[in-house]
Amino acid sequence: MTAGNNGASKPEDDDPFGYLYADGQAAGAQAPGQGGYGYPGPAAQPGVPRTSYNQVRAVGERQYGQQQVPQQQGGYGYPPQQSYGQPAQQYNRQNPQYAAPETYPGGASHGQPPAQGGHGGGTGRGGPNTKALLIAAVAVVAVVLIGIGAALLTGDDGDKDDKKNEASSSEGPAGEVEESKKPEKKPEETPKPVELPKQDAATLTLGGSATVDSSLDGAQGGNGVYVTGFNNVGSSVTWRAEMKHEGEYRLAVRYAVPAKDADATLTVNGKKNSQPIGLKNFIKSSDPDWEKNWQTTWAPVTLQSGQNEIKISCETGNQCDVILDWVEVTQATS
């Protein structure tokens, strides 16, 4: 079978810029005005198809599985190629047109290309680098541990600084330590006075014509009761007082008189005082009304620790026109 008519032009004439280069001009490239790629030339004849990109070959001429290259003989951009009829290149054989730049003379590098990891688990790009991942994980853990340790150390230093600041704040100027204040001595508490006995006259042991009454106002005894009928010889009141300590004391008595002086005999633990207890009209009242003449008096006494018997009686020679409200032991003054 013979080849068909390819038209007036050849494929190499279709390069619109081929006329700019020497090799294109040698191959017959012309400016677009004379016909070229995309421009029908003036030499095209009516009824004749223009050049086809596909070259018509005889049946059985094309060999599949072989590298097919354009039929250029060292044209622009192509190295010299094999002619038809020469042995075809083997399938998967490296095509010089598509070889890596470093395979050409003067290329970037003449060394071997980096090994590519296959499916066999090599160290190339074909599979994950588990060793590198393990190292990276260990490094991350180490960084975290170091950070925690640094934080703990920093916290301890902060606590120490706070303690130092507290210590320095207690120091005076120029690093002088302020002396701690000595504990102030508490004032010695004044011992409470010993509670001394006091008793209503109406509760005492009565003797002679002495009796109790509450008809007059002003008595401070319980329920306003007082002792009356004391103006007869032989009348008496006896008080048994309990003392914690022996010593010199005063016996105080509250009484009332009808605007005139009175007195009585005082006996302590069976011993009469040399002086009678005075029950005088100290307020100098001129009104004989008993209710207007309540007043107090006292006499010195020596008492022993424990029980003491104190007796007030109306004896011969005493002026005993008096009523008695209460009796009390008080501290003697120096």
Side-chain angles (χ1 to χ4, degrees):
M1 181 178 179
T2 60
N5 189 349
N6 289 332
S9 301
K10 295 181 180 181
E12 57 268 20
D13 297 334
D14 290 343
D15 186 355
F17 303 103
Y19 68 93
L20 298 176
Y21 307 98
D23 53 355
Q25 295 173 3
Q30 297 179 0
Q34 302 298 324
Y37 180 80
Y39 300 92
Q45 299 177 5
V48 179
R50 67 184 299 276
T51 303
S52 173
Y53 288 107
N54 296 322
Q55 302 296 323
V56 180
R57 296 178 178 85
V59 177
E61 184 178 352
R62 182 182 296 275
Q63 298 294 326
Y64 294 96
Q66 299 177 355
Q67 293 289 340
Q68 301 295 330
V69 297
Q71 296 181 8
Q72 296 182 0
Q73 301 298 325
Y76 171 73
Y78 295 93
Q81 302 296 325
Q82 295 177 349
S83 302
Y84 290 104
Q86 294 181 358
Q89 296 178 352
Q90 297 296 325
Y91 181 69
N92 288 337
R93 183 177 179 182
Q94 185 176 6
N95 191 335
Q97 294 182 1
Y98 300 98
E102 58 268 18
T103 61
Y104 291 102
S109 174
H110 295 286
Q112 296 294 332
Q116 301 294 326
H119 296 286
T123 59
R125 299 179 181 176
N129 192 340
T130 57
K131 184 176 182 180
L133 294 176
L134 179 59
I135 292 174
V138 172
V140 171
V141 173
V143 171
V144 172
L145 293 177
I146 291 173
I148 294 174
L152 293 176
L153 292 176
T154 303
D156 293 340
D157 293 340
D159 294 340
K160 293 179 180 178
D161 293 339
D162 292 340
K163 292 180 180 179
K164 289 181 180 179
N165 292 335
E166 292 177 0
S168 62
S169 63
S170 63
E171 297 180 358
E176 295 180 358
V177 179
E178 183 180 356
E179 294 184 0
S180 58
K181 295 182 179 180
K182 295 181 180 180
E184 297 180 357
K185 292 183 179 180
K186 293 183 179 180
E188 295 181 359
E189 294 182 359
T190 304
K192 295 180 179 180
V194 178
E195 186 176 358
L196 298 177
K198 178 180 180 180
Q199 195 158 349
D200 294 342
T203 62
L204 302 179
T205 302
L206 304 181
S209 61
T211 187
V212 295
D213 193 4
S214 59
S215 59
L216 298 177
D217 294 334
Q220 296 177 352
N223 298 321
V225 179
Y226 53 90
V227 174
T228 189
F230 192 75
N231 58 346
N232 296 316
V233 175
S235 299
S236 65
V237 293
T238 304
W239 178 29
R240 290 177 176 82
E242 190 76 20
M243 301 298 296
K244 292 183 179 180
H245 306 286
E246 65 178 9
E248 299 296 326
Y249 297 92
R250 288 181 176 182
L251 175 65
V253 180
R254 187 172 190 266
Y255 64 96
V257 291
K260 61 181 182 178
D261 293 338
D263 59 17
T265 302
L266 176 60
T267 305
V268 178
N269 294 326
K271 184 179 180 180
K272 291 183 180 180
N273 277 9
S274 59
Q275 297 293 331
I277 183 172
L279 303 173
K280 295 181 178 182
N281 182 17
F282 291 106
I283 61 174
K284 306 297 182 180
S285 175
S286 59
D287 189 346
D289 190 353
W290 297 85
E291 297 177 357
K292 297 178 180 180
N293 294 290
W294 290 103
Q295 48 198 306
T296 59
T297 189
W298 63 272
V301 292
T302 301
L303 302 177
Q304 63 187 11
S305 177
Q307 192 176 67
N308 293 266
E309 182 181 87
I310 302 172
K311 179 181 178 182
I312 301 174
S313 60
C314 183
E315 303 293 340
T316 303
N318 295 136
Q319 301 294 327
C320 302
D321 196 5
V322 63
I323 58 178
L324 304 175
D325 189 9
W326 49 255
V327 292
E328 180 183 15
V329 174
T330 64
Q331 292 287 347
T333 59
S334 57

